[in-house]
């Protein structure tokens, strides 16, 4: 029985990984031999402001060639020329772009970070540069409703920080600590924190979720004296932790920590004595079932090793 169960898990893991790999899909645009004139894309993350461009991962929904529009699948990394219009792009916007997709090149120097391999773990194998005037917005409010709501709350909280007088480095650090926004941080500030050994503080992760969890445990500690109090406390704790995860924009590190702590809370609520390692293992299993390529992310490895 144990041998057959192990074989079942191995085969299931292979199949989940295979179907999670973007280029393995039959209608992946990178596998089609066609000349793309126009493409319909959807922004599937919060755009990042660079010095000269706006960067965002996009989903390619359809392409147009000589025969007309063709529905396809696939992701790409898009770089828009920075101007007032591209700076206003949001998650869920749908655009028609006129530009050429190109494969992401491998490293050019020995020992250089393999950005191509890193993006392949996110099913991104192509990139596209879109000059000003070569795109048009044809739809908004698309994508996942929960992620859209989370990013909307995040923008409102950032505006609230600005309204209360935070500017410059104070705003950069505050938005990073509270909201997980690192796009506001200048390279000089990152180098300063890196030199002091405190760079991890600027990344919302399990440390922050752990602090939130301990604070909730302290505030709701009185509920253990009531009937059904422990169960109500567990439910409220999980809800509040996931609300915080939503505020930070469902960043991968916070998702890992929130899932991990949620299963620890569930395990403690259903049994008086639980093995915390089993609860952590269950959270890792479920996250890897949803996205098996998480195993290659350093943040995932460090979270669970720690």
């Amino acid at each position: 029985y144990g041998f057959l169960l192990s074989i079942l898990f191995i085969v299931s893991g292979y199949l989940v990984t295979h179907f999670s790999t973007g280029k393995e899909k039959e209608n992946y645009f990178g596998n089609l031999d066609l000349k793309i004139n126009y493409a319909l894309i959807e922004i599937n993350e919060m755009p990042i402001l660079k010095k000269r461009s706006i960067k965002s991962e996009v989903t390619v929904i359809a392409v147009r060639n000589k025969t007309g529009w063709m529905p396809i699948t696939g992701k790409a990394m898009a770089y828009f020329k920075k101007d007032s219009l591209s700076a206003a792009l949001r998650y869920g916007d749908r655009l028609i772009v006129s530009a050429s997709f190109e494969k992401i090149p491998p490293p050019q120097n020995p020992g250089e970070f393999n950005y191509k391999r890193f993006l392949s773990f996110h099913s991104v194998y192509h990139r596209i540069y879109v000059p000003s005037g070569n795109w048009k917005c044809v739809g908004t409010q698309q994508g996942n409703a929960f992620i859209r709501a989370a990013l909307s709350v995040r923008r409102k909280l950032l505006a609230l920080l600005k309204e209360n007088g935070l500017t410059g480095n104070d705003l950069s650090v505050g938005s990073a600590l509270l909201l997980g926004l690192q796009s506001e941080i200048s390279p000089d500030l990152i180098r300063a924190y890196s030199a002091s050994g405190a760079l991890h503080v600027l990344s919302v992760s399990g440390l922050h979720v752990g602090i939130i969890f301990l604070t909730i445990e302290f505030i709701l500690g009185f509920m253990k004296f009531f009937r059904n109090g422990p169960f109500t406390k567990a439910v409220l704790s999980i809800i509040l932790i996931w609300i915080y995860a939503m505020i930070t924009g469902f960043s991968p590190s916070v998702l890992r920590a929130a899932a991990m702590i949620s299963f620890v809370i569930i395990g403690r609520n259903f049994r008086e004595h639980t093995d915390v390692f089993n609860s952590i293992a269950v959270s890792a299993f479920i996250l890897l079932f949803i996205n098996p390529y998480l195993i290659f992310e350093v943040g995932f490895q460090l979270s669970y090793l720690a």
Side-chain angles (χ1 to χ4, degrees):
Y1 175 77
F3 175 76
L4 292 177
L5 190 62
S6 298
I7 295 297
L8 175 64
F9 273 109
I10 292 172
V11 173
S12 300
Y14 174 81
L15 291 175
V16 168
T17 306
H18 176 79
F19 290 117
S20 298
T21 305
K23 65 179 180 181
E24 298 296 335
K25 296 179 180 178
E26 184 178 355
N27 59 339
Y28 174 66
F29 76 96
N31 297 333
L32 302 177
D33 186 19
L34 50 84
K35 183 175 176 58
I36 300 174
N37 296 323
Y38 295 94
L40 175 64
I41 62 174
E42 181 177 300
I43 297 176
N44 57 14
E45 67 175 6
M46 186 173 180
I48 300 172
L49 274 67
K50 297 290 186 179
K51 188 175 181 180
R52 298 180 179 178
S53 64
I54 308 293
K55 173 187 173 184
S56 178
E57 182 183 293
V58 300
T59 300
V60 186
I61 301 172
V63 295
R64 182 180 178 182
N65 53 18
K66 295 179 180 180
T67 59
W69 286 97
M70 176 189 301
I72 56 171
T73 61
K75 295 179 181 179
M77 191 61 67
Y79 298 86
F80 298 90
K81 177 69 175 178
K82 191 174 182 179
D83 55 29
S84 58
L85 292 177
S86 59
L89 290 173
R90 295 287 183 266
Y91 169 85
D93 288 352
R94 285 194 174 183
L95 316 171
I96 292 180
V97 299
S98 173
S100 300
F101 291 90
E102 60 180 29
K103 290 185 178 180
I104 296 172
Q108 303 299 312
N109 301 298
E112 183 182 350
F113 174 68
N114 195 335
Y115 189 57
K116 178 180 181 180
R117 184 171 180 266
F118 171 78
L119 288 181
S120 71
F121 294 149
H122 297 80
S123 293
V124 176
Y125 308 96
H126 292 76
R127 64 185 180 184
I128 181 174
Y129 294 93
V130 187
S132 299
N134 280 37
W135 62 273
K136 181 180 180 181
C137 184
V138 294
T140 58
Q141 303 293 313
Q142 303 294 320
N144 187 288
F146 287 104
I147 296 178
R148 195 167 63 244
L151 294 177
S152 176
V153 171
R154 201 190 215 185
R155 285 195 299 270
K156 291 177 181 178
L157 291 175
L158 180 62
L160 194 62
L161 292 177
K162 293 178 179 178
E163 289 174 6
N164 283 271
L166 284 181
T167 57
N169 288 339
D170 293 337
L171 177 63
S172 302
V173 175
S175 60
L177 286 170
L178 299 174
L179 307 175
L181 275 171
Q182 297 184 353
S183 58
E184 303 284 333
I185 305 176
S186 66
D188 292 336
L189 191 62
I190 290 179
R191 282 192 291 270
Y193 271 85
S194 179
S196 66
L199 184 61
H200 185 68
V201 175
L202 296 179
S203 175
V204 173
S205 61
L207 171 67
H208 299 72
V209 178
I211 293 172
I212 296 292
F213 169 64
L214 292 175
T215 304
I216 294 171
E217 284 277 295
F218 177 76
I219 294 174
L220 301 181
F222 69 93
M223 298 185 71
K224 64 182 179 182
F225 300 108
F226 296 93
R227 186 182 180 183
N228 296 326
F231 176 78
T232 306
K233 175 186 170 186
V235 172
L236 287 175
S237 298
I238 293 174
I239 291 174
L240 291 172
I241 285 171
W242 283 98
I243 287 176
Y244 177 71
M246 184 186 78
I247 290 174
T248 59
F250 291 116
S251 64
S253 56
V254 173
L255 281 178
R256 288 191 296 271
M260 193 183 296
I261 291 179
S262 296
F263 279 99
V264 171
I265 294 172
I266 292 170
R268 288 173 55 186
N269 186 70
F270 281 96
R271 294 182 62 186
E272 186 175 351
H273 302 288
T274 60
D275 185 352
V276 68
F277 294 109
N278 283 337
S279 301
I280 292 173
V282 169
S283 69
F285 177 84
I286 291 178
L287 289 175
L288 290 175
F289 183 80
I290 296 172
N291 180 12
Y293 284 101
L294 281 176
I295 195 70
F296 295 109
E297 291 196 10
V298 175
F300 182 91
Q301 297 167 7
L302 292 178
S303 294
Y304 283 94
L305 284 173

